[in-house]
Amino acid sequence: MYENNYPNGAYHYETENTANHMGQSNVTRPANGKKNGSGIGKKIAVAICCGLCFGIFGGMGFWAVNTAGDFLNERIIGDAQIKQTDEEPEQDAAADEQAGTESMADAESDQTSGIDQTEQVSAVVTDVTAVVKEVMPAVVSINNKYVEKMSFFGQEYSSEAQSTGSGIIVGQNDTELLLVSNYHVVAAAEELTVQFVDGTQVQAQIKGSDEDKDLAVIAVQLNDISSETMNEIAIAKLGDSDSLTVGEPAIAIGNALGYGQSVTTGVVSALNRAIPSSSTQSYDVSATDTEINTFIQTDAAINPGNSGGALLNMKGEVIGINSNKIGGSAVEGMGYAIPISDAKPIIENLMSKETRIRVDEDKRGYLGITGVDVRSDYSEDYGVPQGVYISSVIEGSAADAAGLARGYIITGINDEQVESMSELKEELAYYAAGDTVELKVMVMAVVPGNYEEQTISVTLGAQSQ
């Protein structure tokens, strides 16, 4: 149907589809009569573009996440490794502190890094408080008062002198406390004083000595030691110097410079150092008339006064007896100690000897002779026995009564060897007037140049004789 309802005569075209009997509704189409197909295409294009953009950005996002995850994972693993490396010494130190000295030694053997081992050894050497606390009560200070003799233009002068050293408590018997020291610390002593860790001082006597090995055992009477002091002191444990290795820690305890007990640390620098025992300055091992002994070398400071003190391992065992005499002052950073494995049999022998107590000077016995030393070079050149050559005998003296005469050479007294007049006087200091001694003398035989040994008993007289 067409109707002209507009004033300008324009026609409005309208198509009407009447619902059929099946109930279909009417559909109104655009007035221009065109279909809306271009709108659907645009929507499809936009959807495709959005999908492509989503895929591109999504892929980039996944790539970025994966890359960041890998980077963070590597950083975390690296930091964990660094942290683990940093924490290992702290964990080892904590374990060592908890386990004690023996577990520290076990921990050192488990380390595979040379740097770690060096650091652990350094820590052990630095912290020696436990060892010092255990061993210090077994180390003593020794004060030696002696008479120093000098000769000027044929005149002999004497003056009282004093020296200091150290000692180690090594044993006890029914009546005595026994200590070991160097021979040169106690030699020619007129009076020996021992100071214990608690500061108390008591008199001591020489029990026995070995000059060639520079060892001496001294004794303190138990009656002279208070019960309080006995509770403070201790007997040292002797170790095994034969099992030492170069580089292991070493601790020195002694009366350095006479100021009292002090501690120095270092390592075992060398073993079996051969040094002439009679020389303090010469290192020529080919020197004659000397006995070559071997020593432990350490960089732990061994100063004057340390002689006779203890060189220890980390178990608190004595591995050496320090001696400042060896090496003298010509070296730095080199101290020496007598190996305890070499010293043990000598110490045991000296401990078994009878303790001799020095007699007061006004009560001492005298021979009544004048004597001259037969030096070793003279003995070798002329075949004369080394000892004390009797140049004169005082009439009416003990020597005169016993039959001693000019030309006799005294070589021993009561099984103690004598090689000089000073040694003879030192031995006589232990005998009082009226005591009988056995002298070994060499007497010229009928054949010139030959000597025969005789044993002569002499009852010592008083000084006024």
Side-chain angles (χ1 to χ4, degrees), residues 168 170 179-183 208-210 212-217 238-242 293-296 308-309 311 318-322 337-351:
I168 310 167
V170 292
L179 305 89
V180 65
S181 184
N182 290 139
Y183 170 79
S209 61
D210 187 328
D212 290 336
K213 299 298 183 180
D214 197 23
L215 290 171
V217 170
L238 304 185
D240 180 13
S241 58
D242 291 338
N293 294 324
T294 56
F295 300 90
I296 301 169
L311 186 68
V318 178
I319 56 175
I321 300 173
N322 299 323
I338 302 170
I340 197 62
S341 295
D342 295 343
K344 275 182 182 179
I346 301 172
I347 294 172
E348 291 172 356
N349 178 54
L350 297 178
M351 289 171 64

Side-chain angles (χ1 to χ4, degrees), residues 35-45:
K35 296 182 179 179
N36 198 18
S38 61
I40 297 173
K42 290 180 179 179
K43 291 180 179 180
I44 294 173

Side-chain angles (χ1 to χ4, degrees), residues 328 373 453 463:
D373 296 347
E453 184 179 88
Q463 185 176 9

Side-chain angles (χ1 to χ4, degrees), residues 64-79:
V65 170
N66 290 335
T67 302
D70 293 339
F71 177 77
L72 292 175
N73 189 35
E74 293 177 356
R75 288 295 302 273
I76 291 171
I77 293 174
D79 290 343

